[in-house]
Amino acid sequence: MKQLIDLDKKHFIHPTSSIKQQQEQGAKSIIKEGDGIYLKDFNGKTFIDAMSSLWNVNIGHGRKELAEAAKQQMETLAFSSAFSTFSHEPAIQLAEKIAAISPGNLNAVFFTSGGSESNDSAFKLVRHFWKLKGEPQRNKIIALKKGYHGVASASTSATGIPEFWEMADLTVPGFIHAESPYEQGTEKSIRSIREKIESEGRENIAAFIAEPVQGAGGVLIPPDDYFKEVRQLCDEYGILFIADEVITGFGRTGKMFGLEHCGVVPDMMTFAKGVTSGYIPFGGVVVSDPIHNVLKEKSTGTLFHGFTYSGHPTAAAVALKNIEIIEQEGLVANSQAMGDELLKGFKQMKQQLDIVGDVRTTGLLGAMELVEDPETNKRFSADLKVAPEVIEALHERGVICRAVTYEGTDIICFAPPLIINKTQIQTLLEKLHDAVLAVQKQLGDRVSQ
């Protein structure tokens, strides 16, 4: 174990991690194996994976069906390029399947290796679309504050969390951020988007992008009417609407795709994560028939955009088996039912614990806010981050979870695998109650001192 920790420090630069903490304290846990909703580390400790690792292990860990699907495809055709109109059966079948389960007229798919690539691809495709339509000046993208769309150059620029811009002082021109509805409400957010369109010039706006639920922003769920208003606004100004379903897709919210809760169909939809339950990197962009028709009818020459692994046959085979499992095991419905159980437990804790503020779920995507005063929603002082303390207390109790502390918030996020059952939900809730109570007591002790 010590050898692994030392090698980790010496050779492995971790994504979205504290390099200083890694060097001083070593890896938080070195995970050895996974089974269902559980992970086990090299010390033999078992954890409930209450985040599906990175919101993505939808069907749970250790599913041999996906390993077998990968094995069979690798033995037949592990990889073959899809450039220059070459094709292969797994990608064709997967494109057909995704078209079949996608809302409305979203029927054609461009494949990528993950969510950041998917959103970057969507931005390039919408700009290409407008060039083909004879409106090349339409190249600006409106996104929302607190939205998260990835860490490639353009997707970082679309992300509405400044910490991601500041890391390398890198943003791409042409991205504008409007107020989100989660604290401002539908009316103020729609007004903000409209003001951005008018100030930039409607003739210059290519698209609007948003997550059905802002995940990394803190599991921020919009008002019920929000995306209907967004759809109407985009139609009014002739702007394309991109739905970022990277986190919310494939059953996470209790529907196959998050925007289905709103009865709204976007012009483009990006996906990744849950499409393979994280067993192999994969993603894509689904485009509507009108967009695809323009690409087919007006394109000349080569579409100069593509990734080596676009449509990777092994990844496509794994995705097909993953979607089959989601459907056959009724995991979309289970996500809704278990999400209701999770919310019930959250609400009980809100009544029992002094520092629990707003609680919310949509399917198995949930959040608990920690506040100094739940009655007034007064937050803790800026120099006191309570959610990370709860995350540490959960870790001690065998739960892996995630904190969000942007702009003074203290939010604990939850996204357990869609296979979780009622007994496991209850165990998770008991551990959460104990962790929050322990931190609450520590805060009280500090104040009394």
Side-chain angles (χ1 to χ4, degrees), residues 43-44 49 119 168 207 243-244 260 271 277 281 285 294 314 323 342 352 367 439:
N43 290 322
D49 183 4
N119 285 323
D244 179 347
E260 292 182 75
F271 66 88
S277 287
V285 185
V294 169
T314 301
I323 295 170
L342 193 63
Q352 298 164 350
V439 171

Side-chain angles (χ1 to χ4, degrees), residues 428-449:
L428 171 59
L429 288 168
E430 289 169 1
K431 290 177 181 288
L432 175 62
H433 183 280
D434 288 350
V436 176
L437 183 61
V439 171
Q440 179 178 294
K441 185 177 183 304
Q442 290 168 8
L443 290 171
D445 291 344
R446 281 182 233 169
V447 170
S448 63
Q449 292 172 2

